[in-house]
mmCIF file of all heavy atoms in Angstrom:
data_model
loop_
_atom_site.group_PDB
_atom_site.id
_atom_site.type_symbol
_atom_site.label_atom_id
_atom_site.label_comp_id
_atom_site.label_asym_id
_atom_site.label_seq_id
_atom_site.Cartn_x
_atom_site.Cartn_y
_atom_site.Cartn_z
ATOM 1 N N ALA A 1 -10.135 7.972 21.590
ATOM 2 C CA ALA A 1 -10.641 7.982 20.181
ATOM 3 C C ALA A 1 -10.325 6.682 19.362
ATOM 4 O O ALA A 1 -10.703 6.613 18.248
ATOM 5 C CB ALA A 1 -10.054 9.215 19.460
ATOM 6 N N TYR A 2 -9.585 5.708 19.993
ATOM 7 C CA TYR A 2 -9.264 4.485 19.369
ATOM 8 C C TYR A 2 -10.470 3.610 19.259
ATOM 9 O O TYR A 2 -11.482 3.752 20.073
ATOM 10 C CB TYR A 2 -8.170 3.731 20.121
ATOM 11 C CG TYR A 2 -6.747 4.150 19.961
ATOM 12 C CD1 TYR A 2 -6.446 5.471 19.445
ATOM 13 C CD2 TYR A 2 -5.741 3.365 20.400
ATOM 14 C CE1 TYR A 2 -5.109 5.854 19.315
ATOM 15 C CE2 TYR A 2 -4.434 3.795 20.234
ATOM 16 C CZ TYR A 2 -4.194 5.041 19.730
ATOM 17 O OH TYR A 2 -2.806 5.387 19.566
ATOM 18 N N SER A 3 -10.513 2.743 18.177
ATOM 19 C CA SER A 3 -11.506 1.728 18.132
ATOM 20 C C SER A 3 -11.211 0.642 19.195
ATOM 21 O O SER A 3 -10.027 0.590 19.707
ATOM 22 C CB SER A 3 -11.531 1.066 16.675
ATOM 23 O OG SER A 3 -10.353 0.325 16.426
ATOM 24 N N GLY A 4 -12.141 -0.337 19.374
ATOM 25 C CA GLY A 4 -11.869 -1.409 20.288
ATOM 26 C C GLY A 4 -10.660 -2.255 19.885
ATOM 27 O O GLY A 4 -9.888 -2.616 20.731
ATOM 28 N N GLY A 5 -10.567 -2.587 18.633
ATOM 29 C CA GLY A 5 -9.397 -3.371 18.126
ATOM 30 C C GLY A 5 -8.137 -2.613 18.326
ATOM 31 O O GLY A 5 -7.102 -3.266 18.682
ATOM 32 N N MET A 6 -8.130 -1.349 18.099
ATOM 33 C CA MET A 6 -6.868 -0.564 18.268
ATOM 34 C C MET A 6 -6.495 -0.533 19.720
ATOM 35 O O MET A 6 -5.206 -0.650 20.084
ATOM 36 C CB MET A 6 -7.078 0.860 17.809
ATOM 37 C CG MET A 6 -7.220 0.989 16.303
ATOM 38 S SD MET A 6 -7.762 2.665 15.791
ATOM 39 C CE MET A 6 -6.317 3.647 16.144
ATOM 40 N N ILE A 7 -7.533 -0.459 20.654
ATOM 41 C CA ILE A 7 -7.127 -0.484 22.075
ATOM 42 C C ILE A 7 -6.498 -1.777 22.519
ATOM 43 O O ILE A 7 -5.499 -1.852 23.218
ATOM 44 C CB ILE A 7 -8.397 -0.210 22.914
ATOM 45 C CG1 ILE A 7 -8.878 1.223 22.707
ATOM 46 C CG2 ILE A 7 -8.105 -0.450 24.417
ATOM 47 C CD1 ILE A 7 -10.211 1.437 23.339
ATOM 48 N N ARG A 8 -7.083 -2.935 21.996
ATOM 49 C CA ARG A 8 -6.521 -4.214 22.364
ATOM 50 C C ARG A 8 -5.062 -4.324 21.838
ATOM 51 O O ARG A 8 -4.197 -4.858 22.467
ATOM 52 C CB ARG A 8 -7.412 -5.305 21.798
ATOM 53 C CG ARG A 8 -8.589 -5.657 22.650
ATOM 54 C CD ARG A 8 -8.082 -6.310 23.963
ATOM 55 N NE ARG A 8 -9.194 -6.831 24.769
ATOM 56 C CZ ARG A 8 -9.554 -6.286 25.914
ATOM 57 N NH1 ARG A 8 -8.899 -5.278 26.439
ATOM 58 N NH2 ARG A 8 -10.590 -6.773 26.598
ATOM 59 N N ARG A 9 -4.853 -3.828 20.590
ATOM 60 C CA ARG A 9 -3.530 -3.890 20.044
ATOM 61 C C ARG A 9 -2.484 -3.054 20.896
ATOM 62 O O ARG A 9 -1.390 -3.522 21.040
ATOM 63 C CB ARG A 9 -3.557 -3.511 18.565
ATOM 64 C CG ARG A 9 -4.124 -4.577 17.611
ATOM 65 C CD ARG A 9 -4.011 -4.230 16.161
ATOM 66 N NE ARG A 9 -5.157 -3.414 15.771
ATOM 67 C CZ ARG A 9 -5.103 -2.365 14.886
ATOM 68 N NH1 ARG A 9 -3.906 -2.112 14.384
ATOM 69 N NH2 ARG A 9 -6.153 -1.731 14.531
ATOM 70 N N LEU A 10 -2.919 -1.850 21.309
ATOM 71 C CA LEU A 10 -2.113 -1.121 22.125
ATOM 72 C C LEU A 10 -1.787 -1.887 23.475
ATOM 73 O O LEU A 10 -0.624 -1.819 23.958
ATOM 74 C CB LEU A 10 -2.796 0.243 22.448
ATOM 75 C CG LEU A 10 -2.030 1.136 23.426
ATOM 76 C CD1 LEU A 10 -0.753 1.608 22.924
ATOM 77 C CD2 LEU A 10 -2.902 2.387 23.728
ATOM 78 N N GLU A 11 -2.840 -2.489 24.028
ATOM 79 C CA GLU A 11 -2.579 -3.201 25.295
ATOM 80 C C GLU A 11 -1.542 -4.356 25.137
ATOM 81 O O GLU A 11 -0.762 -4.641 25.946
ATOM 82 C CB GLU A 11 -3.845 -3.632 25.824
ATOM 83 C CG GLU A 11 -4.744 -2.566 26.336
ATOM 84 C CD GLU A 11 -6.105 -2.976 26.795
ATOM 85 O OE1 GLU A 11 -6.698 -3.844 26.205
ATOM 86 O OE2 GLU A 11 -6.634 -2.378 27.757
ATOM 87 N N VAL A 12 -1.608 -5.022 23.941
ATOM 88 C CA VAL A 12 -0.637 -6.061 23.646
ATOM 89 C C VAL A 12 0.731 -5.403 23.519
ATOM 90 O O VAL A 12 1.692 -6.034 23.901
ATOM 91 C CB VAL A 12 -1.099 -6.876 22.411
ATOM 92 C CG1 VAL A 12 0.056 -7.906 21.994
ATOM 93 C CG2 VAL A 12 -2.330 -7.705 22.653
ATOM 94 N N ALA A 13 0.812 -4.274 22.871
ATOM 95 C CA ALA A 13 2.046 -3.530 22.707
ATOM 96 C C ALA A 13 2.591 -3.233 24.112
ATOM 97 O O ALA A 13 3.844 -3.398 24.289
ATOM 98 C CB ALA A 13 1.900 -2.342 21.861
ATOM 99 N N GLN A 14 1.804 -2.791 24.991
ATOM 100 C CA GLN A 14 2.269 -2.435 26.319
ATOM 101 C C GLN A 14 2.796 -3.722 27.044
ATOM 102 O O GLN A 14 3.806 -3.673 27.694
ATOM 103 C CB GLN A 14 1.118 -1.935 27.164
ATOM 104 C CG GLN A 14 0.710 -0.491 26.784
ATOM 105 C CD GLN A 14 -0.617 -0.082 27.657
ATOM 106 O OE1 GLN A 14 -1.642 -0.557 27.478
ATOM 107 N NE2 GLN A 14 -0.284 0.782 28.618
ATOM 108 N N ALA A 15 2.076 -4.802 26.875
ATOM 109 C CA ALA A 15 2.503 -6.060 27.593
ATOM 110 C C ALA A 15 3.669 -6.747 27.017
ATOM 111 O O ALA A 15 4.274 -7.546 27.661
ATOM 112 C CB ALA A 15 1.272 -7.060 27.507
ATOM 113 N N THR A 16 4.108 -6.393 25.726
ATOM 114 C CA THR A 16 5.233 -6.992 25.166
ATOM 115 C C THR A 16 6.457 -6.070 24.948
ATOM 116 O O THR A 16 7.496 -6.468 24.374
ATOM 117 C CB THR A 16 4.827 -7.614 23.742
ATOM 118 O OG1 THR A 16 4.256 -6.582 22.889
ATOM 119 C CG2 THR A 16 3.836 -8.726 23.968
ATOM 120 N N LEU A 17 6.310 -4.951 25.518
ATOM 121 C CA LEU A 17 7.393 -3.825 25.379
ATOM 122 C C LEU A 17 8.693 -4.341 25.929
ATOM 123 O O LEU A 17 9.739 -4.094 25.378
ATOM 124 C CB LEU A 17 6.911 -2.574 26.025
ATOM 125 C CG LEU A 17 7.691 -1.323 25.769
ATOM 126 C CD1 LEU A 17 7.694 -0.948 24.306
ATOM 127 C CD2 LEU A 17 7.120 -0.144 26.545
ATOM 128 N N HIS A 18 8.683 -5.083 27.013
ATOM 129 C CA HIS A 18 9.868 -5.522 27.643
ATOM 130 C C HIS A 18 10.267 -6.938 27.262
ATOM 131 O O HIS A 18 11.173 -7.530 27.908
ATOM 132 C CB HIS A 18 9.616 -5.499 29.189
ATOM 133 C CG HIS A 18 8.515 -6.443 29.618
ATOM 134 N ND1 HIS A 18 7.224 -6.345 29.194
ATOM 135 C CD2 HIS A 18 8.569 -7.437 30.531
ATOM 136 C CE1 HIS A 18 6.485 -7.223 29.763
ATOM 137 N NE2 HIS A 18 7.249 -7.960 30.620
ATOM 138 N N LYS A 19 9.649 -7.474 26.184
ATOM 139 C CA LYS A 19 10.058 -8.758 25.620
ATOM 140 C C LYS A 19 9.923 -9.873 26.609
ATOM 141 O O LYS A 19 10.895 -10.538 26.946
ATOM 142 C CB LYS A 19 11.440 -8.693 24.995
ATOM 143 C CG LYS A 19 11.567 -7.712 23.910
ATOM 144 C CD LYS A 19 12.964 -7.761 23.236
ATOM 145 C CE LYS A 19 12.973 -6.708 22.085
ATOM 146 N NZ LYS A 19 14.371 -6.697 21.392
ATOM 147 N N PRO A 20 8.712 -10.127 27.128
ATOM 148 C CA PRO A 20 8.465 -11.134 28.124
ATOM 149 C C PRO A 20 8.635 -12.557 27.566
ATOM 150 O O PRO A 20 8.503 -12.758 26.276
ATOM 151 C CB PRO A 20 7.094 -10.929 28.543
ATOM 152 C CG PRO A 20 6.372 -10.352 27.253
ATOM 153 C CD PRO A 20 7.409 -9.507 26.624
ATOM 154 N N ARG A 21 8.843 -13.472 28.372
ATOM 155 C CA ARG A 21 8.905 -14.921 27.976
ATOM 156 C C ARG A 21 7.535 -15.581 27.856
ATOM 157 O O ARG A 21 7.370 -16.448 27.078
ATOM 158 C CB ARG A 21 9.753 -15.734 28.957
ATOM 159 C CG ARG A 21 11.221 -15.281 29.057
ATOM 160 C CD ARG A 21 12.038 -16.204 29.884
ATOM 161 N NE ARG A 21 12.090 -17.552 29.343
ATOM 162 C CZ ARG A 21 12.691 -18.580 29.909
ATOM 163 N NH1 ARG A 21 13.303 -18.350 31.096
ATOM 164 N NH2 ARG A 21 12.603 -19.820 29.402
ATOM 165 N N VAL A 22 6.592 -15.019 28.645
ATOM 166 C CA VAL A 22 5.214 -15.578 28.618
ATOM 167 C C VAL A 22 4.232 -14.343 28.526
ATOM 168 O O VAL A 22 4.331 -13.370 29.235
ATOM 169 C CB VAL A 22 4.907 -16.377 29.810
ATOM 170 C CG1 VAL A 22 3.421 -16.860 29.716
ATOM 171 C CG2 VAL A 22 5.818 -17.488 30.047
ATOM 172 N N LEU A 23 3.359 -14.396 27.517
ATOM 173 C CA LEU A 23 2.298 -13.360 27.432
ATOM 174 C C LEU A 23 0.954 -13.956 27.763
ATOM 175 O O LEU A 23 0.456 -14.937 27.271
ATOM 176 C CB LEU A 23 2.175 -12.871 25.984
ATOM 177 C CG LEU A 23 1.097 -11.858 25.660
ATOM 178 C CD1 LEU A 23 1.247 -10.597 26.451
ATOM 179 C CD2 LEU A 23 1.078 -11.624 24.108
ATOM 180 N N PHE A 24 0.366 -13.302 28.804
ATOM 181 C CA PHE A 24 -0.944 -13.779 29.291
ATOM 182 C C PHE A 24 -2.120 -12.929 28.687
ATOM 183 O O PHE A 24 -1.946 -11.635 28.819
ATOM 184 C CB PHE A 24 -1.034 -13.701 30.864
ATOM 185 C CG PHE A 24 -0.252 -14.750 31.519
ATOM 186 C CD1 PHE A 24 1.018 -14.512 32.053
ATOM 187 C CD2 PHE A 24 -0.762 -16.013 31.725
ATOM 188 C CE1 PHE A 24 1.743 -15.396 32.633
ATOM 189 C CE2 PHE A 24 -0.056 -16.992 32.425
ATOM 190 C CZ PHE A 24 1.285 -16.661 32.874
ATOM 191 N N LEU A 25 -3.079 -13.496 28.123
ATOM 192 C CA LEU A 25 -4.165 -12.750 27.460
ATOM 193 C C LEU A 25 -5.432 -13.308 28.065
ATOM 194 O O LEU A 25 -5.849 -14.423 27.930
ATOM 195 C CB LEU A 25 -4.150 -12.961 25.985
ATOM 196 C CG LEU A 25 -2.935 -12.619 25.219
ATOM 197 C CD1 LEU A 25 -2.985 -13.068 23.779
ATOM 198 C CD2 LEU A 25 -2.680 -11.122 25.289
ATOM 199 N N ASP A 26 -6.187 -12.430 28.804
ATOM 200 C CA ASP A 26 -7.412 -12.775 29.497
ATOM 201 C C ASP A 26 -8.538 -12.294 28.618
ATOM 202 O O ASP A 26 -8.853 -11.087 28.651
ATOM 203 C CB ASP A 26 -7.471 -12.159 30.871
ATOM 204 C CG ASP A 26 -8.633 -12.793 31.705
ATOM 205 O OD1 ASP A 26 -9.337 -13.729 31.235
ATOM 206 O OD2 ASP A 26 -8.914 -12.344 32.795
ATOM 207 N N GLU A 27 -9.249 -13.238 27.863
ATOM 208 C CA GLU A 27 -10.324 -12.846 26.964
ATOM 209 C C GLU A 27 -9.936 -11.728 26.035
ATOM 210 O O GLU A 27 -10.533 -10.637 26.080
ATOM 211 C CB GLU A 27 -11.538 -12.518 27.777
ATOM 212 C CG GLU A 27 -12.081 -13.603 28.677
ATOM 213 C CD GLU A 27 -12.868 -14.646 27.940
ATOM 214 O OE1 GLU A 27 -13.027 -14.601 26.624
ATOM 215 O OE2 GLU A 27 -13.357 -15.645 28.554
ATOM 216 N N PRO A 28 -8.874 -11.896 25.215
ATOM 217 C CA PRO A 28 -8.263 -10.747 24.505
ATOM 218 C C PRO A 28 -9.268 -10.100 23.424
ATOM 219 O O PRO A 28 -9.025 -8.952 23.063
ATOM 220 C CB PRO A 28 -7.109 -11.424 23.803
ATOM 221 C CG PRO A 28 -7.473 -12.810 23.679
ATOM 222 C CD PRO A 28 -8.152 -13.188 24.911
ATOM 223 N N THR A 29 -10.277 -10.830 23.043
ATOM 224 C CA THR A 29 -11.138 -10.224 22.012
ATOM 225 C C THR A 29 -12.582 -10.087 22.474
ATOM 226 O O THR A 29 -13.502 -9.832 21.662
ATOM 227 C CB THR A 29 -11.183 -11.110 20.698
ATOM 228 O OG1 THR A 29 -11.687 -12.425 21.054
ATOM 229 C CG2 THR A 29 -9.741 -11.254 20.125
ATOM 230 N N VAL A 30 -12.851 -10.125 23.760
ATOM 231 C CA VAL A 30 -14.240 -9.943 24.264
ATOM 232 C C VAL A 30 -14.624 -8.451 23.925
ATOM 233 O O VAL A 30 -13.831 -7.559 24.061
ATOM 234 C CB VAL A 30 -14.266 -10.118 25.773
ATOM 235 C CG1 VAL A 30 -13.503 -9.125 26.591
ATOM 236 C CG2 VAL A 30 -15.736 -10.127 26.276
ATOM 237 N N GLY A 31 -15.779 -8.342 23.358
ATOM 238 C CA GLY A 31 -16.353 -6.999 23.081
ATOM 239 C C GLY A 31 -15.955 -6.443 21.708
ATOM 240 O O GLY A 31 -16.454 -5.382 21.401
ATOM 241 N N LEU A 32 -15.153 -7.171 20.995
ATOM 242 C CA LEU A 32 -14.768 -6.688 19.657
ATOM 243 C C LEU A 32 -15.659 -7.262 18.572
ATOM 244 O O LEU A 32 -16.107 -8.399 18.680
ATOM 245 C CB LEU A 32 -13.348 -7.131 19.400
ATOM 246 C CG LEU A 32 -12.203 -6.678 20.375
ATOM 247 C CD1 LEU A 32 -10.829 -7.135 19.875
ATOM 248 C CD2 LEU A 32 -12.302 -5.169 20.564
ATOM 249 N N ASP A 33 -15.807 -6.464 17.522
ATOM 250 C CA ASP A 33 -16.556 -6.961 16.347
ATOM 251 C C ASP A 33 -15.676 -7.975 15.556
ATOM 252 O O ASP A 33 -14.474 -8.142 15.819
ATOM 253 C CB ASP A 33 -16.976 -5.804 15.463
ATOM 254 C CG ASP A 33 -15.773 -4.977 14.856
ATOM 255 O OD1 ASP A 33 -14.881 -5.618 14.184
ATOM 256 O OD2 ASP A 33 -15.684 -3.759 15.035
ATOM 257 N N PRO A 34 -16.267 -8.837 14.710
ATOM 258 C CA PRO A 34 -15.589 -9.852 13.988
ATOM 259 C C PRO A 34 -14.267 -9.366 13.308
ATOM 260 O O PRO A 34 -13.321 -10.071 13.378
ATOM 261 C CB PRO A 34 -16.570 -10.404 12.997
ATOM 262 C CG PRO A 34 -17.879 -10.070 13.658
ATOM 263 C CD PRO A 34 -17.733 -8.801 14.389
ATOM 264 N N GLN A 35 -14.333 -8.232 12.646
ATOM 265 C CA GLN A 35 -13.142 -7.779 11.969
ATOM 266 C C GLN A 35 -12.032 -7.381 12.892
ATOM 267 O O GLN A 35 -10.855 -7.751 12.714
ATOM 268 C CB GLN A 35 -13.538 -6.497 11.162
ATOM 269 C CG GLN A 35 -12.392 -5.973 10.295
ATOM 270 C CD GLN A 35 -12.756 -4.774 9.464
ATOM 271 O OE1 GLN A 35 -13.962 -4.434 9.293
ATOM 272 N NE2 GLN A 35 -11.752 -4.143 8.800
ATOM 273 N N ALA A 36 -12.348 -6.684 13.984
ATOM 274 C CA ALA A 36 -11.378 -6.374 14.970
ATOM 275 C C ALA A 36 -10.784 -7.636 15.636
ATOM 276 O O ALA A 36 -9.603 -7.693 15.969
ATOM 277 C CB ALA A 36 -11.945 -5.416 16.074
ATOM 278 N N ARG A 37 -11.680 -8.578 15.965
ATOM 279 C CA ARG A 37 -11.283 -9.889 16.539
ATOM 280 C C ARG A 37 -10.210 -10.517 15.634
ATOM 281 O O ARG A 37 -9.209 -11.016 16.066
ATOM 282 C CB ARG A 37 -12.452 -10.726 16.760
ATOM 283 C CG ARG A 37 -12.156 -12.047 17.424
ATOM 284 C CD ARG A 37 -13.430 -12.817 17.703
ATOM 285 N NE ARG A 37 -14.275 -11.994 18.621
ATOM 286 C CZ ARG A 37 -15.588 -12.088 18.585
ATOM 287 N NH1 ARG A 37 -16.245 -12.869 17.783
ATOM 288 N NH2 ARG A 37 -16.308 -11.375 19.464
ATOM 289 N N ARG A 38 -10.415 -10.586 14.310
ATOM 290 C CA ARG A 38 -9.508 -11.243 13.428
ATOM 291 C C ARG A 38 -8.181 -10.518 13.321
ATOM 292 O O ARG A 38 -7.102 -11.042 13.236
ATOM 293 C CB ARG A 38 -10.135 -11.414 12.007
ATOM 294 C CG ARG A 38 -11.253 -12.414 12.065
ATOM 295 C CD ARG A 38 -11.680 -12.831 10.576
ATOM 296 N NE ARG A 38 -12.640 -13.846 10.648
ATOM 297 C CZ ARG A 38 -12.306 -15.117 10.815
ATOM 298 N NH1 ARG A 38 -11.030 -15.548 10.771
ATOM 299 N NH2 ARG A 38 -13.215 -16.096 10.767
ATOM 300 N N SER A 39 -8.167 -9.226 13.432
ATOM 301 C CA SER A 39 -7.018 -8.472 13.444
ATOM 302 C C SER A 39 -6.174 -8.692 14.698
ATOM 303 O O SER A 39 -4.869 -8.761 14.610
ATOM 304 C CB SER A 39 -7.238 -6.902 13.331
ATOM 305 O OG SER A 39 -7.744 -6.394 14.581
ATOM 306 N N VAL A 40 -6.864 -8.940 15.815
ATOM 307 C CA VAL A 40 -6.046 -9.296 17.084
ATOM 308 C C VAL A 40 -5.502 -10.667 16.903
ATOM 309 O O VAL A 40 -4.299 -11.024 17.321
ATOM 310 C CB VAL A 40 -6.980 -9.175 18.258
ATOM 311 C CG1 VAL A 40 -6.334 -9.787 19.579
ATOM 312 C CG2 VAL A 40 -7.368 -7.766 18.464
ATOM 313 N N TRP A 41 -6.256 -11.624 16.263
ATOM 314 C CA TRP A 41 -5.743 -12.974 16.061
ATOM 315 C C TRP A 41 -4.500 -12.972 15.207
ATOM 316 O O TRP A 41 -3.505 -13.640 15.528
ATOM 317 C CB TRP A 41 -6.831 -13.825 15.311
ATOM 318 C CG TRP A 41 -8.005 -14.134 16.179
ATOM 319 C CD1 TRP A 41 -8.158 -13.943 17.542
ATOM 320 C CD2 TRP A 41 -9.271 -14.725 15.667
ATOM 321 N NE1 TRP A 41 -9.460 -14.381 17.951
ATOM 322 C CE2 TRP A 41 -10.111 -14.852 16.866
ATOM 323 C CE3 TRP A 41 -9.767 -15.091 14.453
ATOM 324 C CZ2 TRP A 41 -11.409 -15.389 16.674
ATOM 325 C CZ3 TRP A 41 -11.028 -15.634 14.340
ATOM 326 C CH2 TRP A 41 -11.814 -15.748 15.504
ATOM 327 N N GLU A 42 -4.563 -12.171 14.101
ATOM 328 C CA GLU A 42 -3.358 -12.079 13.306
ATOM 329 C C GLU A 42 -2.153 -11.558 13.995
ATOM 330 O O GLU A 42 -1.057 -12.028 13.834
ATOM 331 C CB GLU A 42 -3.723 -11.236 12.061
ATOM 332 C CG GLU A 42 -4.728 -11.794 11.110
ATOM 333 C CD GLU A 42 -5.192 -10.796 10.077
ATOM 334 O OE1 GLU A 42 -4.651 -9.676 10.028
ATOM 335 O OE2 GLU A 42 -6.008 -11.274 9.199
ATOM 336 N N MET A 43 -2.398 -10.599 14.861
ATOM 337 C CA MET A 43 -1.298 -9.929 15.634
ATOM 338 C C MET A 43 -0.687 -11.065 16.573
ATOM 339 O O MET A 43 0.562 -11.082 16.675
ATOM 340 C CB MET A 43 -1.806 -8.732 16.428
ATOM 341 C CG MET A 43 -0.811 -8.070 17.244
ATOM 342 S SD MET A 43 -1.442 -6.751 18.220
ATOM 343 C CE MET A 43 -2.588 -7.781 19.258
ATOM 344 N N ILE A 44 -1.567 -11.827 17.233
ATOM 345 C CA ILE A 44 -1.034 -12.868 18.118
ATOM 346 C C ILE A 44 -0.228 -13.860 17.445
ATOM 347 O O ILE A 44 0.957 -14.236 17.916
ATOM 348 C CB ILE A 44 -2.170 -13.531 18.857
ATOM 349 C CG1 ILE A 44 -2.848 -12.478 19.786
ATOM 350 C CG2 ILE A 44 -1.721 -14.778 19.684
ATOM 351 C CD1 ILE A 44 -4.132 -13.049 20.423
ATOM 352 N N GLU A 45 -0.640 -14.274 16.222
ATOM 353 C CA GLU A 45 0.150 -15.255 15.396
ATOM 354 C C GLU A 45 1.477 -14.621 14.955
ATOM 355 O O GLU A 45 2.484 -15.333 15.020
ATOM 356 C CB GLU A 45 -0.696 -15.664 14.259
ATOM 357 C CG GLU A 45 -1.932 -16.526 14.591
ATOM 358 C CD GLU A 45 -2.727 -17.033 13.391
ATOM 359 O OE1 GLU A 45 -2.825 -16.233 12.421
ATOM 360 O OE2 GLU A 45 -3.150 -18.119 13.405
#
């Protein structure tokens, strides 16, 4: 039931749960609308 932006944010949460030294993002905003894309950008920053 999540939106596309919420799913991407959850996936970033999964990938950073163990506090990695390097985070790999493969096309992190593909398929997202402009608003969701910007929310992911803000989260990465």
Side-chain angles (χ1 to χ4, degrees):
Y2 281 17
S3 68
M6 292 169 69
I7 293 172
R8 276 292 186 248
R9 283 185 276 144
L10 175 62
E11 290 174 324
V12 172
Q14 288 178 287
T16 56
L17 192 61
H18 60 304
K19 300 184 178 180
R21 295 187 62 184
V22 183
L23 175 62
F24 289 96
L25 303 170
D26 191 5
E27 299 281 2
T29 62
V30 67
L32 300 183
D33 60 53
Q35 182 177 353
R37 184 175 296 150
R38 289 192 174 277
S39 74
V40 173
W41 291 349
E42 291 172 1
M43 182 187 59
I44 293 171
E45 290 182 321

